[in-house]
Amino acid sequence: MTNFIIELLYKRTFVVVNSDGQTSRPQWLKNGVPHGSILATSLYNIYTSDFPQQLLIVTAMYADDIALNIAASIFMHVEDTPFHDMDSVQNVPKRWRLKLS
């Protein structure tokens, strides 16, 4: 099973095809899982399982989207919370080798 997962994740390439049908040279994929793969969801969940959990921030994760939600009875708490809790969250994309959009 380990060899299967390694082959699924490594040594993958892609080519770009333009409107004239010309193709680029193969380029190596450096990260990610194959789209439509049965294991893709499970592997992504394992990959992101170390996302920091905060006391006042509710994290919602679905597919490749992450949303951080904050609720408080006093608006000032909502303003202050992200600055304290985001310190532990800000390094996650770099650690996971992801770009935020």
Side-chain angles (χ1 to χ4, degrees):
M1 182 64 153
T2 305
N3 288 337
F4 174 74
I5 292 174
I6 289 171
E7 289 296 320
L8 182 72
L9 297 176
Y10 294 105
K11 301 178 185 174
R12 296 185 308 126
T13 61
F14 71 96
V15 294
V16 176
V17 181
N18 69 14
S19 60
D20 296 333
Q22 296 175 336
T23 60
S24 67
R25 290 182 291 152
Q27 302 291 317
W28 290 101
L29 289 171
K30 297 178 182 172
N31 55 21
V33 296
H35 290 257
S37 166
I38 293 172
L39 288 176
T41 304
S42 297
L43 290 174
Y44 184 80
N45 287 337
I46 292 168
Y47 185 65
T48 60
S49 65
D50 66 340
F51 192 85
Q53 299 298 315
Q54 304 299 329
L55 229 44
L56 297 174
I57 296 179
V58 177
T59 305
M61 301 174 90
Y62 179 77
D64 61 351
D65 293 323
I66 299 172
L68 303 176
N69 303 296
I70 303 167
S73 57
I74 301 172
F75 184 73
M76 214 160 82
H77 292 164
V78 174
E79 284 185 317
D80 294 339
T81 299
F83 298 108
H84 300 342
D85 289 348
M86 289 302 289
D87 289 340
S88 64
V89 174
Q90 70 182 356
N91 292 322
V92 171
K94 185 176 182 180
R95 186 172 68 232
W96 289 350
R97 296 186 299 168
L98 298 174
K99 293 180 182 176
L100 297 179
S101 58

